[in-house]
Each structure stands twice: as C-alpha cells, then as structure tokens.
Amino acid sequence: AVVSTQSTGEKGDGNLYGTMHGGMGASLVDLCSSVAILSSCERWGVSTDMHISYVKGAPVGAPVEIVSVCDRAGKTLAFSSCFIYNETGDLLLKGQHTKFMGTPKVELDFSE
C-alpha cells in the first residue's frame, strides 16, 4: 500500500536554523510508514529498526509531501520506506522502517 499526505511544520517543529527538526522528520517517518504497513496487513507492530537520511532542510512553515510504501509485510516482520519532498519535488528526507508484526489483526473503519 502507498500512503501519501501533506503537512506543514509549525514553529515548535523547527530547530535553531529555522528548518524542520530531525526529530520531527523521524516522527513523520515513524507515523506515516506505520500507516502504510497497517494498510497492507491490518496489524500494528513494534519498531525494531528505523534509518533516516536527511538530504535537504525543510523551512518551518513550508508544506511538505510525505509518501510511504509498505515494501513487504511477512508473518513476523514488515518493511516500509518513506520519502518527504518539498513543494517543488526536491527530496528532503528518506527513511526505512522495520516492524515486528507479532500482533493480531485490527479492524479498520475508514467510513468517516
């Protein structure tokens, strides 16, 4: 499953240089890649590994596009990738996320 969304950082999401804090980028990778995994296999998991490469700074207040994909969801592990772009399509951040999937399936309700 591919999940795509947009976000705009606020002042509290930035660092001393006026760009998105690395921790904020890591949180976006964690959340969005987890949703991609959940959409694929309908199970929550726990993170076992996350790798993030910070390619280019994102000014606070500038919109970003986040694209996450579940690369593979097996019986016990799931792997996802996440990419964050600025409004001109430049890659800002890329992340890989691995989760242990030892939890039961959950019911998803997207009716709202």
Side-chain angles (χ1 to χ4, degrees):
V2 176
V3 175
S4 180
T5 190
Q6 293 184 340
S7 180
T8 302
E10 298 177 4
K11 186 177 179 182
D13 301 326
N15 57 28
L16 296 175
Y17 304 105
T19 59
M20 179 173 46
H21 190 279
M24 180 64 185
S27 293
L28 290 171
V29 168
D30 185 17
L31 175 66
C32 295
S33 61
S34 294
V35 170
I37 290 170
L38 178 63
S39 298
S40 293
C41 64
E42 298 178 353
R43 289 185 291 156
W44 284 113
V46 294
S47 298
T48 60
D49 182 61
M50 217 167 47
H51 177 81
I52 300 168
S53 296
Y54 300 92
V55 179
K56 186 176 181 180
V60 171
V64 294
E65 169 107 14
I66 307 155
V67 179
S68 297
V69 61
C70 179
D71 300 315
R72 182 179 189 284
K75 291 181 183 178
T76 57
L77 291 176
F79 304 88
S80 59
S81 300
C82 184
F83 305 91
I84 300 179
Y85 302 95
N86 65 13
E87 56 192 342
T88 61
D90 297 329
L91 179 65
L92 305 176
L93 183 153
K94 58 183 177 177
Q96 295 176 309
H97 193 182
T98 305
K99 293 191 126 189
F100 172 71
M101 303 303 292
T103 58
K105 285 193 172 192
V106 295
E107 286 196 31
L108 301 175
D109 181 9
F110 297 112
S111 62
E112 292 183 29

PDB file of all heavy atoms in Angstrom, residues 46-60:
ATOM      1  N   VAL A  46       5.624  -3.348  16.373  1.00  0.00           N
ATOM      2  CA  VAL A  46       6.539  -2.529  17.163  1.00  0.00           C
ATOM      3  C   VAL A  46       7.816  -2.327  16.350  1.00  0.00           C
ATOM      4  O   VAL A  46       8.289  -3.239  15.668  1.00  0.00           O
ATOM      5  CB  VAL A  46       6.852  -3.159  18.541  1.00  0.00           C
ATOM      6  CG1 VAL A  46       5.609  -3.183  19.407  1.00  0.00           C
ATOM      7  CG2 VAL A  46       7.416  -4.557  18.395  1.00  0.00           C
ATOM      8  N   SER A  47       8.353  -1.135  16.426  1.00  0.00           N
ATOM      9  CA  SER A  47       9.546  -0.801  15.649  1.00  0.00           C
ATOM     10  C   SER A  47      10.746  -1.596  16.140  1.00  0.00           C
ATOM     11  O   SER A  47      10.979  -1.723  17.337  1.00  0.00           O
ATOM     12  CB  SER A  47       9.853   0.690  15.765  1.00  0.00           C
ATOM     13  OG  SER A  47       8.798   1.456  15.247  1.00  0.00           O
ATOM     14  N   THR A  48      11.494  -2.136  15.187  1.00  0.00           N
ATOM     15  CA  THR A  48      12.746  -2.800  15.514  1.00  0.00           C
ATOM     16  C   THR A  48      13.932  -2.051  14.927  1.00  0.00           C
ATOM     17  O   THR A  48      15.045  -2.180  15.415  1.00  0.00           O
ATOM     18  CB  THR A  48      12.771  -4.250  15.003  1.00  0.00           C
ATOM     19  OG1 THR A  48      12.622  -4.255  13.581  1.00  0.00           O
ATOM     20  CG2 THR A  48      11.660  -5.062  15.645  1.00  0.00           C
ATOM     21  N   ASP A  49      13.689  -1.254  13.885  1.00  0.00           N
ATOM     22  CA  ASP A  49      14.781  -0.512  13.244  1.00  0.00           C
ATOM     23  C   ASP A  49      14.194   0.633  12.431  1.00  0.00           C
ATOM     24  O   ASP A  49      13.153   0.475  11.793  1.00  0.00           O
ATOM     25  CB  ASP A  49      15.573  -1.443  12.324  1.00  0.00           C
ATOM     26  CG  ASP A  49      16.747  -0.746  11.661  1.00  0.00           C
ATOM     27  OD1 ASP A  49      17.636  -0.268  12.401  1.00  0.00           O
ATOM     28  OD2 ASP A  49      16.775  -0.677  10.429  1.00  0.00           O
ATOM     29  N   MET A  50      14.860   1.771  12.494  1.00  0.00           N
ATOM     30  CA  MET A  50      14.478   2.903  11.655  1.00  0.00           C
ATOM     31  C   MET A  50      15.760   3.601  11.218  1.00  0.00           C
ATOM     32  O   MET A  50      16.619   3.897  12.056  1.00  0.00           O
ATOM     33  CB  MET A  50      13.571   3.870  12.432  1.00  0.00           C
ATOM     34  CG  MET A  50      12.512   4.465  11.580  1.00  0.00           C
ATOM     35  SD  MET A  50      11.156   5.319  12.425  1.00  0.00           S
ATOM     36  CE  MET A  50      11.933   6.349  13.594  1.00  0.00           C
ATOM     37  N   HIS A  51      15.891   3.816   9.929  1.00  0.00           N
ATOM     38  CA  HIS A  51      17.060   4.503   9.390  1.00  0.00           C
ATOM     39  C   HIS A  51      16.581   5.709   8.601  1.00  0.00           C
ATOM     40  O   HIS A  51      15.689   5.595   7.759  1.00  0.00           O
ATOM     41  CB  HIS A  51      17.866   3.580   8.477  1.00  0.00           C
ATOM     42  CG  HIS A  51      19.025   4.259   7.850  1.00  0.00           C
ATOM     43  ND1 HIS A  51      20.214   4.456   8.507  1.00  0.00           N
ATOM     44  CD2 HIS A  51      19.158   4.821   6.636  1.00  0.00           C
ATOM     45  CE1 HIS A  51      21.039   5.107   7.719  1.00  0.00           C
ATOM     46  NE2 HIS A  51      20.421   5.335   6.571  1.00  0.00           N
ATOM     47  N   ILE A  52      17.176   6.865   8.874  1.00  0.00           N
ATOM     48  CA  ILE A  52      16.731   8.102   8.225  1.00  0.00           C
ATOM     49  C   ILE A  52      17.931   8.837   7.653  1.00  0.00           C
ATOM     50  O   ILE A  52      18.954   8.990   8.327  1.00  0.00           O
ATOM     51  CB  ILE A  52      15.976   8.992   9.219  1.00  0.00           C
ATOM     52  CG1 ILE A  52      14.754   8.244   9.744  1.00  0.00           C
ATOM     53  CG2 ILE A  52      15.562  10.305   8.564  1.00  0.00           C
ATOM     54  CD1 ILE A  52      14.089   8.874  10.913  1.00  0.00           C
ATOM     55  N   SER A  53      17.801   9.286   6.422  1.00  0.00           N
ATOM     56  CA  SER A  53      18.810  10.137   5.785  1.00  0.00           C
ATOM     57  C   SER A  53      18.202  11.511   5.565  1.00  0.00           C
ATOM     58  O   SER A  53      17.157  11.642   4.915  1.00  0.00           O
ATOM     59  CB  SER A  53      19.246   9.558   4.435  1.00  0.00           C
ATOM     60  OG  SER A  53      19.888   8.315   4.616  1.00  0.00           O
ATOM     61  N   TYR A  54      18.850  12.518   6.120  1.00  0.00           N
ATOM     62  CA  TYR A  54      18.401  13.899   5.976  1.00  0.00           C
ATOM     63  C   TYR A  54      19.146  14.493   4.785  1.00  0.00           C
ATOM     64  O   TYR A  54      20.350  14.715   4.844  1.00  0.00           O
ATOM     65  CB  TYR A  54      18.680  14.680   7.259  1.00  0.00           C
ATOM     66  CG  TYR A  54      17.958  14.087   8.454  1.00  0.00           C
ATOM     67  CD1 TYR A  54      18.568  13.139   9.269  1.00  0.00           C
ATOM     68  CD2 TYR A  54      16.646  14.448   8.737  1.00  0.00           C
ATOM     69  CE1 TYR A  54      17.899  12.578  10.344  1.00  0.00           C
ATOM     70  CE2 TYR A  54      15.970  13.891   9.811  1.00  0.00           C
ATOM     71  CZ  TYR A  54      16.607  12.957  10.606  1.00  0.00           C
ATOM     72  OH  TYR A  54      15.931  12.406  11.659  1.00  0.00           O
ATOM     73  N   VAL A  55      18.429  14.741   3.700  1.00  0.00           N
ATOM     74  CA  VAL A  55      19.036  15.136   2.434  1.00  0.00           C
ATOM     75  C   VAL A  55      19.102  16.651   2.280  1.00  0.00           C
ATOM     76  O   VAL A  55      20.104  17.196   1.834  1.00  0.00           O
ATOM     77  CB  VAL A  55      18.258  14.498   1.254  1.00  0.00           C
ATOM     78  CG1 VAL A  55      18.836  14.903  -0.080  1.00  0.00           C
ATOM     79  CG2 VAL A  55      18.234  12.979   1.403  1.00  0.00           C
ATOM     80  N   LYS A  56      18.034  17.337   2.672  1.00  0.00           N
ATOM     81  CA  LYS A  56      17.942  18.786   2.483  1.00  0.00           C
ATOM     82  C   LYS A  56      17.000  19.348   3.544  1.00  0.00           C
ATOM     83  O   LYS A  56      16.013  18.706   3.893  1.00  0.00           O
ATOM     84  CB  LYS A  56      17.404  19.081   1.072  1.00  0.00           C
ATOM     85  CG  LYS A  56      17.376  20.526   0.685  1.00  0.00           C
ATOM     86  CD  LYS A  56      16.913  20.678  -0.763  1.00  0.00           C
ATOM     87  CE  LYS A  56      16.905  22.147  -1.149  1.00  0.00           C
ATOM     88  NZ  LYS A  56      16.460  22.322  -2.540  1.00  0.00           N
ATOM     89  N   GLY A  57      17.293  20.538   4.043  1.00  0.00           N
ATOM     90  CA  GLY A  57      16.456  21.155   5.064  1.00  0.00           C
ATOM     91  C   GLY A  57      15.107  21.603   4.533  1.00  0.00           C
ATOM     92  O   GLY A  57      14.987  22.012   3.386  1.00  0.00           O
ATOM     93  N   ALA A  58      14.107  21.529   5.387  1.00  0.00           N
ATOM     94  CA  ALA A  58      12.753  21.992   5.058  1.00  0.00           C
ATOM     95  C   ALA A  58      12.439  23.190   5.946  1.00  0.00           C
ATOM     96  O   ALA A  58      12.361  23.040   7.167  1.00  0.00           O
ATOM     97  CB  ALA A  58      11.733  20.891   5.299  1.00  0.00           C
ATOM     98  N   PRO A  59      12.279  24.377   5.388  1.00  0.00           N
ATOM     99  CA  PRO A  59      11.962  25.542   6.220  1.00  0.00           C
ATOM    100  C   PRO A  59      10.661  25.345   7.002  1.00  0.00           C
ATOM    101  O   PRO A  59       9.688  24.799   6.469  1.00  0.00           O
ATOM    102  CB  PRO A  59      11.802  26.675   5.202  1.00  0.00           C
ATOM    103  CG  PRO A  59      12.514  26.211   3.981  1.00  0.00           C
ATOM    104  CD  PRO A  59      12.382  24.722   3.971  1.00  0.00           C
ATOM    105  N   VAL A  60      10.658  25.753   8.252  1.00  0.00           N
ATOM    106  CA  VAL A  60       9.448  25.674   9.061  1.00  0.00           C
ATOM    107  C   VAL A  60       8.362  26.511   8.387  1.00  0.00           C
ATOM    108  O   VAL A  60       8.616  27.615   7.921  1.00  0.00           O
ATOM    109  CB  VAL A  60       9.709  26.182  10.495  1.00  0.00           C
ATOM    110  CG1 VAL A  60       8.418  26.300  11.273  1.00  0.00           C
ATOM    111  CG2 VAL A  60      10.671  25.258  11.217  1.00  0.00           C
TER     112      VAL A  60
END
